[in-house]
Amino acid sequence: MNRAGSVDFSLWGAFRCIVARDLTLAMRRRADVLTTLFFFVIVVSLFPLGIGPEMATLRIMAPGVVWVAALLASMLSLERMFSADYRDGTLEQMLLTPQPLPVLVLGKVFAHWLVSGLPLVLIAPLLGVQYDLPPEGLLILAVSLLVGTPVLSLIGAIGAGLTLGVRGGGVLVSLLVLPLYIPVLIFGAGGVDAAMSGLGAQAHLSLLGAFLLGALILAPWAAGAALRISME
Amino acid sequence: MNRAGSVDFSLWGAFRCIVARDLTLAMRRRADVLTTLFFFVIVVSLFPLGIGPEMATLRIMAPGVVWVAALLASMLSLERMFSADYRDGTLEQMLLTPQPLPVLVLGKVFAHWLVSGLPLVLIAPLLGVQYDLPPEGLLILAVSLLVGTPVLSLIGAIGAGLTLGVRGGGVLVSLLVLPLYIPVLIFGAGGVDAAMSGLGAQAHLSLLGAFLLGALILAPWAAGAALRISME
Amino acid sequence: MLEVSNLECVRGDRRLFAGMNFSVQPGELLHVHGPNGSGKTSLLRMLCGLAAPAEGEIRWNGESIRSLREDYCKEMTYFGHLAGIKEELTALENLRVAVQLAGGDSAEDGLLDALDRMGLAGREDLPAKVLSQGQKRRVALARLLLCPTRLWILDEPFTALDVTAVKMVQQLLSEHLHNGGMVVLTTHQEVDIPAGTVRRIHLN
Amino acid sequence: MLEVSNLECVRGDRRLFAGMNFSVQPGELLHVHGPNGSGKTSLLRMLCGLAAPAEGEIRWNGESIRSLREDYCKEMTYFGHLAGIKEELTALENLRVAVQLAGGDSAEDGLLDALDRMGLAGREDLPAKVLSQGQKRRVALARLLLCPTRLWILDEPFTALDVTAVKMVQQLLSEHLHNGGMVVLTTHQEVDIPAGTVRRIHLN
Amino acid sequence: MSNWSSLSEFLAMGGYAPFVWGSYGVTALCMVVEVVLLLRRKRTLLQRLSRTNRVTAEVSKSNEVQT
Amino acid sequence: MPKINWFKYSSPQAFYPLIGKMIPWFTVLAVAFTLPGLYFGFFVAPPDYQQGESYRIMFIHVPAAWMSMFIYVVMAGYAGMGLVLNSRLSSMMASALAPTGAMFTFLALWTGALWGKPMWGTWWVWDARLTSELILLFLYIGFLSLQAAIDEPRRAARASAVLALVGVVNIPIIYFSVKWWNTLHQGASITVTKAPTMAASMFTAMILLTFAFWMYTIAVALMRVRCEILERERNSEWVAQAVGRSR
Ligand code: HEM
Ligand SMILES: Nc1ncnc2c1ncn2[C@@H]1O[C@H](COP(=O)(O)OP(=O)(O)OP(=O)(O)O)[C@@H](O)[C@H]1O
Ligand SMILES: Nc1ncnc2c1ncn2[C@@H]1O[C@H](COP(=O)(O)OP(=O)(O)OP(=O)(O)O)[C@@H](O)[C@H]1O
Ligand SMILES: [Mg+2]
Ligand SMILES: [Mg+2]
């Protein structure tokens, strides 16, 4: 049991407390976790139905389709990041705790990624096989998602914070964040393409890494500011 | 002013009252209406970024991409159909009015389609142009969407009703309705493909029409039953 | 007349009450009270047909409310923990839709009059979301003035109301009872109704 | 010590109040009252720093709360219209998270004890969503027993509570005042506090 | 040093009339519409303000705080 | 410790009458640049030897494209100032610029498409420049929708300011990503090329119309700012007086 007194409750403690809370919540409604995943799988599987079954076409499309589906799945789950907390008043309470807001936000984003980003990374290679991707493509697909999806969660947190309590928030958030997701999409899907055509995905992946670093530093502040504004 | 007394308030009156109410609500938050539309536009524009700019590939994909985007846009806006009413207690009140529930549901579905389906039909040809579709393809695309999107709204109402009040309903609903959407997707996108390859889209469109008829008859009852179950 | 026989309510693992029998006659008010969590809300939701009882039956004029359904709804008004107010619609529009769907008389004058009586004069055209907690509840309560139903089922109608408004609603209840209406009510505050018979049920 | 000078609140087109001055000293309870929609909630949200005043300043021990921010939060507990309870977590988990984040002592025994005092013994491990309206509010109020803050800002804390619970909370407020705490409170019910000074502000 | 010998030649734009005039026309239209909308917005705003001004003046007078 | 009150230096009250005086000047300037610009564009500049008369679209296409980008940066600058210095006038300027910026973005796309059809035989290609202009339009629309979705003007201004700042950090990233994306693949068969050797008269027309667009933007933004000031400050004494006077 965490027996932290009022004095030595550190930043790390606050972070852990939020992550633990959100993971517990996610476990209580396990359906949520699975549905993001299923959404991803279904969207990826819809395309062959809409487009036709030729493997050659499908192989060209595969990285793009998987990445777009990941974008959409991650975006859909954004709505959950703050809005439940907003509606039942726990967010209000969170803003009034003596902990620095960016740390709390980072905790929430991390928990969100564990629940909605990580499963996508794990299942993506399987979907890639459906589209007949070669092994090196599958590897780079998974790696690019591993580096890219946290960026999506981080950028998404800003959008989710801004649209809190706004009517039609669910769709509005997509409007705000999808354009910002585009570089991640381009380098994510581009990396897989490059790997498949034998050019090497080094450059793409490093750029994705740079995005991740930048987002880690800036997004928690921006999202924190967004939350404060939304609560006014 | 509608001066309906308590006696002669007909089915048609109830239907109109609900449609008028929902359209007023939509006008109050006009952003909502536009965001569904922009979501559609953005998703369609994301694909070339993931896949690459070659027009030949894009033209093959176009019907599938536009239809999948329409599916997603329509599905995302489902969340709005009942959940706001559920949360603020107006749905509870609606179930307790002396009007037959299927009529009220039909009113809500119709309003929902006017707001979230019709705009897609109108803008789709423009997006088709971005993918360099030929004129006959554009026409069939719009017509197939015109017949198909109401089916999506009707089927969606059932899913939306069932997932009310379930945490993470937004994603769960997609899991329930997407499989049901698949036939619409296949015949919608297939029709456009057929038109473009000169085979004629007659058969596809008639099938879509048949779906529409079936959904119009069955869905309001099913959705009404779903709502009653959710309120227990 | 509302009759309840041998009613049982089970929530999760717990049986909240069982073997409950009572009836409400015209001109009677039934005050259901009991501590937090004793099952008042659960009882009221069964009475209006939103939830199904685990056991027992609820009859309206001798017929089960399950079989009456819409006909029962014609004679009953329910007011729950949630006010049933759309935030984007104005006070007036909210009231109009509610009254129209309930089959009441939705003439503009009557609506404005009802809002006026509830102390909302001058706020008719504000969207409900800018109204305070108590003002929203007042808009919802205005419905009672316009729906010609005989049975009112009210779950904590006094929540968030200030003293004047509480008096107003009590006055309204008296009138309703006086005209042969029936009321089932929960509240943690004291009820002070000049007219009609007040009966109590205590849940524990 | 909480000081408010020349405070103005504007909501939408309306100026709810202006030129408001008061201070709350240790051992004092400030009861803000007024009819529905007079701006009580708006005032309390400004006092705890969630909303910005249109004009004027709020100071804690002489410094503006805008500049203090987290240091102010260390000494203040806010309890609003929304209880701040997660439906999926149990009563115990809810309380634990709230206390940990507020920097209080989150030892298991203390938590159980507090829930017990709020009359929730035996319900600690139920998810909050199956609790009744009043029980949820009790869970939220249990926080007050464990947070060593000096200023409590409570917006209608008695809503949905039964008579026993209301007494309990009043007792708790007395103790807090007795120990040199400060309370700002709104409620439409009568407040009956044995210890401490009670001052009133009337909004209209 | 004019490029055009007649008005109709000017309007024909060397066969590119729909494109050139479509561009210039829509540009002009957008600008005009924007300005018109703004002028209308300002007019209705002023009307509304002068109407509500009187009301709020009365309200704020009766809103004195009593401690 | 006395704190600098930035309100005082950028108080809407002080600016309101000043703005009123500035608007006519910028309107006049806009017209004064437009007329010679159009004259040069249609009557002085010779037809292009390759494109014939269709190239005259350039005289509004290029200024519109430039404006769409400038305005976003200026808008984000104002938004940032509004957020950091808490100065109301700055955030009003930001929201006043947005609709005009979106309009120019749309115009750049529209005129570009109308130019593309005769030149490339298609309305649209997924070229880097075109694509990033499209994304810019989405960013503007996001900004405007967010603002429209929030009723409280203060909150709307602050929320959209955060969005504008996030967007401005992203714009260069987006621009270079799109560029790289496009060239990594086999390049689109046609790209936006510079006009061969631009005659001085063509250049003059383009520059004149660019200035005209600038002046137009300033005039319109100031008009909009006046409305915003009135709307947000409607409770203050001075607005009551100003409204009284103007009636
Ligand atoms: C929808 C289609 C189009 C869009 C969105 C578009 C967008 C843009 C943008 C954003 C710029 C400014 C770029 C910069 O200064 O870095 C620009 C400049 C320009 N565009 Fe377009 N364009 C389109 C079509 C065309 C077409 C069809 C042509 C001619 C064949 C064209 C010719 C030019 C020229 C000559 C410039 C100025 C070049 C420069 O300053 O470097 N554009 N366009
Ligand atoms: N799924 C469930 N599992 C276990 N207990 C449940 C479940 N659902 C409800 N309960 C219990 O049933 C009771 C709910 O009663 P109800 O909401 O009717 O209370 P109430 O009398 O209206 O209380 P209040 O005065 O607080 O509104 C609570 O004690 C709650 O703990
Ligand atoms: N955006 C707005 N536009 C117009 N009026 C508003 C706006 N926001 C709030 N108001 C008004 O401000 C008041 C809100 O006050 P507040 O919620 O603080 O009331 P309260 O004193 O807490 O009332 P209650 O006792 O009902 O909880 C209401 O009269 C409401 O109509
Ligand atoms: Mg209850
Ligand atoms: Mg209040």
Side-chain angles (χ1 to χ4, degrees):
Chain A
M1 213 44 276
N2 182 358
R3 229 189 157 301
S6 58
V7 187
D8 60 348
F9 194 68
S10 57
L11 293 189
W12 172 241
F15 178 81
R16 239 183 34 189
C17 172
I18 290 283
V19 173
R21 185 193 87 132
D22 279 15
L23 289 182
T24 317
L25 281 173
M27 283 306 105
R28 291 286 149 78
R29 32 183 156 116
R30 219 158 310 159
D32 257 30
V33 185
L34 292 179
T35 39
T36 312
L37 193 60
F38 280 124
F39 175 82
F40 179 63
V41 174
I42 290 183
V43 171
V44 173
S45 321
L46 277 183
F47 275 93
L49 296 176
I51 286 161
E54 294 90 43
M55 267 305 168
T57 325
L58 289 183
R59 205 175 306 120
I60 300 176
M61 293 171 38
V65 168
V66 172
W67 257 99
V68 170
L71 240 63
L72 293 177
S74 153
M75 189 206 78
L76 281 186
S77 59
L78 281 183
E79 222 252 308
R80 286 208 312 269
M81 202 186 297
F82 300 118
S83 75
D85 285 2
Y86 175 76
R87 243 178 282 135
D88 60 22
T90 38
L91 188 63
E92 199 172 85
Q93 292 295 342
M94 222 175 269
L95 293 191
L96 293 177
T97 58
Q99 319 300 336
L101 194 51
V103 173
L104 301 185
V105 171
L106 200 64
K108 285 196 74 73
V109 173
F110 182 64
H112 178 263
W113 178 76
L114 282 183
V115 168
S116 71
L118 195 56
L120 304 192
V121 178
L122 300 178
I123 201 116
L126 213 64
L127 297 177
V129 169
Q130 279 193 337
Y131 279 71
D132 204 23
L133 283 190
E136 63 277 16
L138 292 179
L139 178 70
I140 297 297
L141 183 64
V143 173
S144 68
L145 282 170
L146 185 67
V147 186
T149 44
V151 186
L152 302 184
S153 292
L154 283 163
I155 296 179
I158 306 174
L162 285 174
T163 53
L164 267 188
V166 174
R167 286 281 151 184
V171 191
L172 184 58
V173 75
S174 64
L175 189 55
L176 301 187
V177 305
L178 280 182
L180 302 179
Y181 279 180
I182 286 175
V184 182
L185 168 67
I186 288 178
F187 290 107
V192 184
D193 268 341
M196 279 164 60
S197 56
L199 295 174
Q202 196 70 43
H204 291 87
L205 292 182
S206 338
L207 263 167
L208 278 182
F211 291 161
L212 178 55
L213 216 72
L216 266 178
I217 293 168
L218 294 178
W221 296 95
L227 288 180
R228 275 206 203 283
I229 292 167
S230 291
M231 289 308 301
E232 283 236 327
Chain B
M1 211 46 270
N2 182 358
R3 231 194 156 297
S6 59
V7 187
D8 59 348
F9 193 69
S10 58
L11 294 189
W12 172 241
F15 179 80
R16 241 184 32 189
C17 172
I18 289 283
V19 173
R21 184 194 87 132
D22 279 16
L23 289 183
T24 317
L25 281 172
M27 284 305 106
R28 290 288 147 78
R29 31 187 155 113
R30 217 161 311 159
D32 256 34
V33 185
L34 292 179
T35 39
T36 311
L37 189 62
F38 285 122
F39 173 82
F40 180 61
V41 174
I42 292 183
V43 170
V44 172
S45 318
L46 279 182
F47 277 94
L49 293 171
I51 288 163
E54 293 90 38
M55 274 301 173
T57 324
L58 290 181
R59 204 174 307 120
I60 299 176
M61 294 171 38
V65 168
V66 173
W67 257 98
V68 169
L71 238 65
L72 294 177
S74 152
M75 191 203 75
L76 281 186
S77 59
L78 280 184
E79 221 253 307
R80 286 208 311 268
M81 203 186 300
F82 299 119
S83 75
D85 286 1
Y86 175 76
R87 245 179 281 136
D88 60 22
T90 38
L91 188 63
E92 200 171 86
Q93 293 294 341
M94 222 175 271
L95 292 191
L96 293 176
T97 58
Q99 318 300 337
L101 195 49
V103 173
L104 301 184
V105 170
L106 199 63
K108 285 196 75 70
V109 172
F110 182 63
H112 178 264
W113 178 75
L114 281 184
V115 168
S116 71
L118 194 56
L120 305 193
V121 178
L122 300 179
I123 199 113
L126 207 67
L127 298 178
V129 168
Q130 279 198 328
Y131 280 73
D132 206 21
L133 283 190
E136 63 277 16
L138 292 179
L139 178 70
I140 299 297
L141 184 65
V143 173
S144 68
L145 282 171
L146 185 66
V147 186
T149 45
V151 186
L152 301 184
S153 292
L154 283 163
I155 297 178
I158 307 174
L162 283 174
T163 54
L164 266 189
V166 178
R167 285 279 151 186
V171 192
L172 187 58
V173 75
S174 62
L175 194 57
L176 291 182
V177 303
L178 277 182
L180 298 177
Y181 279 181
I182 286 178
V184 183
L185 168 68
I186 290 180
F187 289 105
V192 184
D193 270 340
M196 279 164 61
S197 56
L199 295 175
Q202 196 68 46
H204 292 87
L205 291 182
S206 333
L207 261 167
L208 277 182
F211 290 161
L212 178 55
L213 218 72
L216 265 178
I217 294 168
L218 294 178
W221 298 95
L227 287 180
R228 277 208 201 281
I229 293 168
S230 293
M231 290 307 301
E232 282 245 323
Chain C
M1 196 187 72
L2 187 73
E3 271 176 308
V4 165
S5 60
N6 192 29
L7 200 68
E8 171 172 336
C9 171
V10 178
R11 304 304 311 267
D13 286 346
R14 311 165 45 83
R15 183 195 283 149
L16 291 178
F17 50 79
M20 177 181 282
N21 292 291
F22 62 82
S23 72
V24 185
Q25 311 282 345
E28 271 186 8
L29 180 145
L30 182 73
H31 180 180
V32 180
H33 70 149
N36 292 139
S38 54
K40 302 182 295 297
T41 300
S42 312
L43 173 62
L44 263 53
R45 287 178 70 87
M46 282 187 218
L47 290 185
C48 70
L50 281 175
E55 191 78 58
E57 214 184 6
I58 303 166
R59 284 185 303 275
W60 174 249
N61 293 334
E63 279 192 74
S64 158
I65 61 166
R66 286 265 134 184
S67 63
L68 284 174
R69 198 164 263 184
E70 271 122 31
D71 293 323
Y72 178 54
C73 290
K74 271 204 192 86
E75 312 221 47
M76 188 267 305
T77 301
Y78 172 67
F79 183 85
H81 276 309
L82 296 168
I85 291 296
K86 294 245 59 110
E87 307 254 291
E88 291 86 2
L89 296 182
T90 65
L92 183 63
E93 289 165 339
N94 263 304
L95 187 59
R96 185 186 302 136
V97 171
V99 171
Q100 276 186 357
L101 286 181
D105 182 353
S106 64
E108 191 91 355
D109 294 344
L111 300 177
L112 288 174
D113 213 50
L115 288 175
D116 199 14
R117 273 187 68 187
M118 295 307 298
L120 291 166
R123 310 275 158 101
E124 297 94 350
D125 289 324
L126 282 184
K129 79 171 139 216
V130 309
L131 296 179
S132 80
Q133 193 82 342
Q135 288 168 337
K136 280 182 213 161
R137 306 279 299 182
R138 286 171 183 226
V139 176
L141 285 167
R143 207 169 66 220
L144 293 178
L145 290 168
L146 293 170
C147 292
T149 55
R150 291 172 57 208
L151 173 61
W152 292 356
I153 300 184
L154 313 174
D155 197 355
E156 309 217 14
F158 303 135
T159 301
L161 294 186
D162 60 18
V163 188
T164 349
V166 170
K167 285 228 185 71
M168 255 270 324
V169 174
Q170 292 186 346
Q171 179 57 31
L172 187 60
L173 293 182
S174 296
E175 278 169 31
H176 184 60
L177 293 176
H178 188 76
N179 298 333
M182 291 161 251
V183 178
V184 180
L185 174 97
T186 73
T187 171
H188 293 297
Q189 279 158 270
E190 265 320 298
V191 197
D192 173 27
I193 306 283
T197 331
V198 176
R199 296 211 291 137
R200 285 156 163 272
I201 287 193
H202 191 81
L203 297 180
N204 205 332
Chain D
M1 198 187 72
L2 187 72
E3 270 175 310
V4 164
S5 60
N6 193 27
L7 200 68
E8 172 172 337
C9 172
V10 177
R11 303 303 311 267
D13 284 345
R14 310 164 46 82
R15 184 192 284 150
L16 291 178
F17 51 79
M20 178 182 279
N21 293 291
F22 63 80
S23 72
V24 184
Q25 312 283 345
E28 271 187 8
L29 180 144
L30 181 74
H31 180 178
V32 181
H33 70 149
N36 291 139
S38 54
K40 302 181 294 297
T41 300
S42 313
L43 173 62
L44 265 55
R45 287 178 70 86
M46 282 187 220
L47 289 185
C48 70
L50 281 175
E55 193 77 59
E57 215 183 7
I58 303 166
R59 283 185 303 275
W60 174 250
N61 292 335
E63 279 194 73
S64 159
I65 62 166
R66 284 265 134 182
S67 62
L68 283 174
R69 200 163 262 187
E70 271 124 30
D71 292 323
Y72 178 55
C73 290
K74 272 205 191 86
E75 312 221 46
M76 189 266 307
T77 301
Y78 172 68
F79 184 85
H81 276 308
L82 296 168
I85 291 298
K86 294 244 58 111
E87 305 256 291
E88 290 85 3
L89 295 183
T90 65
L92 182 63
E93 288 164 340
N94 263 305
L95 186 59
R96 184 188 299 135
V97 171
V99 171
Q100 277 184 358
L101 287 181
D105 182 354
S106 63
E108 190 90 355
D109 295 345
L111 299 178
L112 288 174
D113 214 48
L115 289 175
D116 199 13
R117 271 189 68 188
M118 295 306 299
L120 291 166
R123 308 275 159 101
E124 297 93 350
D125 290 323
L126 281 184
K129 77 171 140 216
V130 309
L131 296 179
S132 82
Q133 193 82 344
Q135 289 168 334
K136 281 181 211 161
R137 306 280 298 183
R138 288 170 181 227
V139 176
L141 284 167
R143 207 170 66 221
L144 293 178
L145 291 168
L146 293 170
C147 293
T149 55
R150 291 173 57 209
L151 173 63
W152 292 355
I153 299 184
L154 314 175
D155 197 356
E156 310 216 15
F158 303 135
T159 301
L161 294 186
D162 60 18
V163 188
T164 350
V166 170
K167 284 229 184 70
M168 256 270 323
V169 175
Q170 291 188 347
Q171 179 57 32
L172 187 60
L173 293 182
S174 293
E175 278 170 32
H176 183 60
L177 294 176
H178 189 78
N179 299 333
M182 289 160 253
V183 177
V184 180
L185 175 94
T186 72
T187 171
H188 292 297
Q189 280 159 268
E190 265 318 298
V191 198
D192 172 29
I193 305 284
T197 331
V198 177
R199 295 210 292 137
R200 284 154 162 274
I201 285 192
H202 190 79
L203 298 181
N204 204 332
Chain E
M1 53 179 196
S2 181
N3 295 311
W4 321 97
S5 53
S6 72
L7 182 65
S8 59
E9 194 185 323
F10 177 64
L11 290 179
M13 271 296 146
Y16 293 111
F19 303 105
V20 175
W21 296 127
S23 303
Y24 280 83
V26 169
T27 306
L29 188 76
C30 282
M31 291 177 161
V32 169
V33 165
E34 193 183 17
V35 170
V36 168
L37 284 181
L38 263 173
L39 289 177
R40 244 190 27 203
R41 175 176 165 191
K42 188 174 158 215
R43 211 184 49 229
T44 51
L45 189 66
L46 283 178
Q47 278 170 1
R48 213 183 69 209
L49 278 180
S50 58
R51 199 158 8 96
T52 53
N53 250 340
R54 268 169 264 132
V55 185
T56 43
E58 285 156 23
V59 169
S60 63
K61 218 168 281 160
S62 66
N63 254 15
E64 304 294 56
V65 181
Q66 301 144 29
T67 308
Chain F
M1 186 191 75
K3 265 195 288 180
I4 303 170
N5 187 353
W6 291 98
F7 289 144
K8 289 281 172 315
Y9 297 109
S10 57
S11 105
Q13 177 177 7
F15 266 78
Y16 185 80
L18 180 61
I19 290 172
K21 288 196 204 95
M22 282 155 74
I23 293 173
W25 285 106
F26 283 103
T27 315
V28 168
L29 280 175
V31 176
F33 280 115
T34 307
L35 294 178
L38 288 179
Y39 176 75
F40 268 84
F42 281 111
F43 298 101
V44 180
D48 188 79
Y49 69 99
Q50 262 182 339
Q51 309 185 13
E53 308 293 353
S54 74
Y55 90 99
R56 294 186 197 279
I57 294 174
M58 178 177 77
F59 301 135
I60 48 174
H61 169 73
V62 176
W66 283 344
M67 291 305 294
S68 67
M69 294 180 291
F70 288 153
I71 290 179
Y72 196 93
V73 175
V74 175
M75 181 184 90
Y78 272 123
M81 258 162 67
L83 207 56
V84 175
L85 304 180
N86 208 3
S87 88
R88 283 169 290 181
L89 196 64
S90 308
S91 29
M92 289 181 206
M93 268 316 276
S95 28
L97 281 168
T100 310
M103 185 194 81
F104 278 120
T105 316
F106 165 75
L107 285 177
L109 287 166
W110 176 261
T111 53
L114 281 182
W115 197 358
K117 189 64 181 175
M119 284 307 101
W120 306 334
T122 170
W123 303 100
W124 183 261
V125 290
W126 291 93
D127 164 85
R129 217 185 229 158
L130 276 57
T131 308
S132 35
E133 189 74 4
L134 185 65
I135 297 169
L136 184 64
L137 181 67
F138 294 155
L139 288 176
Y140 271 120
I141 289 172
F143 184 93
L144 289 171
S145 316
L146 183 61
Q147 223 164 29
I150 304 176
D151 304 309
E152 199 89 21
R154 220 180 108 95
R155 188 186 148 190
R158 286 156 60 79
S160 46
V162 171
L163 186 69
L165 288 180
V166 173
V168 90
V169 172
N170 269 275
I171 278 188
I173 299 177
I174 291 173
Y175 182 73
F176 287 110
S177 316
V178 173
K179 212 166 165 143
W180 207 28
W181 157 71
N182 197 265
T183 47
L184 270 190
H185 288 79
Q186 155 244 312
S189 39
I190 333 114
T191 45
V192 185
T193 47
K194 289 199 173 196
T197 40
M198 198 182 283
S201 53
M202 296 181 185
F203 187 75
T204 316
M206 215 169 75
I207 290 299
L208 282 173
L209 282 175
T210 305
F211 277 114
F213 281 9
W214 255 123
M215 297 303 127
Y216 167 83
T217 306
I218 296 174
V220 169
L222 288 179
M223 277 164 78
R224 202 173 275 119
V225 136
R226 249 166 92 92
C227 293
E228 302 256 326
I229 288 180
L230 285 182
E231 241 160 46
R232 291 193 205 175
E233 309 269 310
R234 64 191 145 201
N235 284 299
S236 52
E237 296 298 320
W238 71 267
V239 167
Q241 283 162 11
V243 170
R245 216 184 314 118
S246 73
R247 296 222 86 213

